[in-house]
Amino acid sequence: QVQLAESGGGSVQSGGSLRLSCTASGIVFSRHSMGWFRQRPGKEREGVAAVDEHVSTYYADFVKGRFTISRGNDNTLYLQMDNLKPEDTAMYYCARGRVGSRWTHVDDTLFNDNVRGRGTQVTVSS
């Protein structure tokens, strides 16, 4: 059984940084595309960043230049978030991509809803 667990969320001021981590059991990250999506209060879910099996990375326009996704050798997925803005306030989830996904950009529909963590809250104050 695959289990994903996010950590690293918290409260920061605008312009601050956080590093989210996603650890897993029952899955080898390097064999799958992985990524992050977020759910803001009252908004639809948004794909944030993804990394595919070839270690190509993809970012939503609203985080380009501020967020960095990476995979550690310890089967951990990271999301480095810099220059955070109040509009980045959301619950952040890591998820596996659907098998056979072809990423050309961050496509929220390519995340597998059945292979995701419970989320970690990020709150950015102005």
Side-chain angles (χ1 to χ4, degrees):
Q1 183 179 0
V2 178
Q3 291 185 324
L4 304 179
E6 303 91 341
S7 62
S11 297
V12 296
Q13 290 190 327
S14 181
S17 298
L18 286 172
R19 189 192 196 200
L20 306 185
S21 300
C22 174
T23 57
S25 60
I27 185 175
V28 178
F29 280 175
S30 60
R31 297 177 183 174
H32 302 277
S33 61
M34 299 292 301
W36 296 87
F37 65 87
R38 70 185 187 185
Q39 185 78 56
R40 294 189 291 167
K43 302 288 186 180
E44 292 188 357
R45 193 174 87 174
E46 302 172 297
V48 174
V51 53
D52 67 16
E53 301 91 325
H54 308 292
V55 204
S56 294
T57 56
Y58 307 88
Y59 297 94
D61 287 344
F62 53 80
V63 302
K64 281 181 180 177
R66 301 189 297 123
F67 292 11
T68 304
I69 188 171
S70 61
R71 289 197 312 228
N73 293 329
D74 52 356
N75 209 38
T76 302
L77 184 71
Y78 299 100
L79 185 68
Q80 177 67 42
M81 304 189 297
D82 298 318
N83 191 21
L84 282 160
K85 304 176 181 180
E87 52 264 43
D88 293 319
T89 294
M91 185 73 80
Y92 285 75
Y93 301 86
C94 70
R96 197 198 74 190
R98 295 183 184 277
V99 175
S101 296
R102 296 290 183 266
W103 296 83
T104 59
H105 62 285
V106 179
D107 184 345
D108 181 61
T109 65
L110 294 184
F111 289 116
N112 187 332
D113 287 334
N114 294 320
V115 187
R116 57 177 254 187
R118 294 185 176 182
T120 186
Q121 177 68 37
V122 172
T123 303
V124 185
S125 58
S126 57

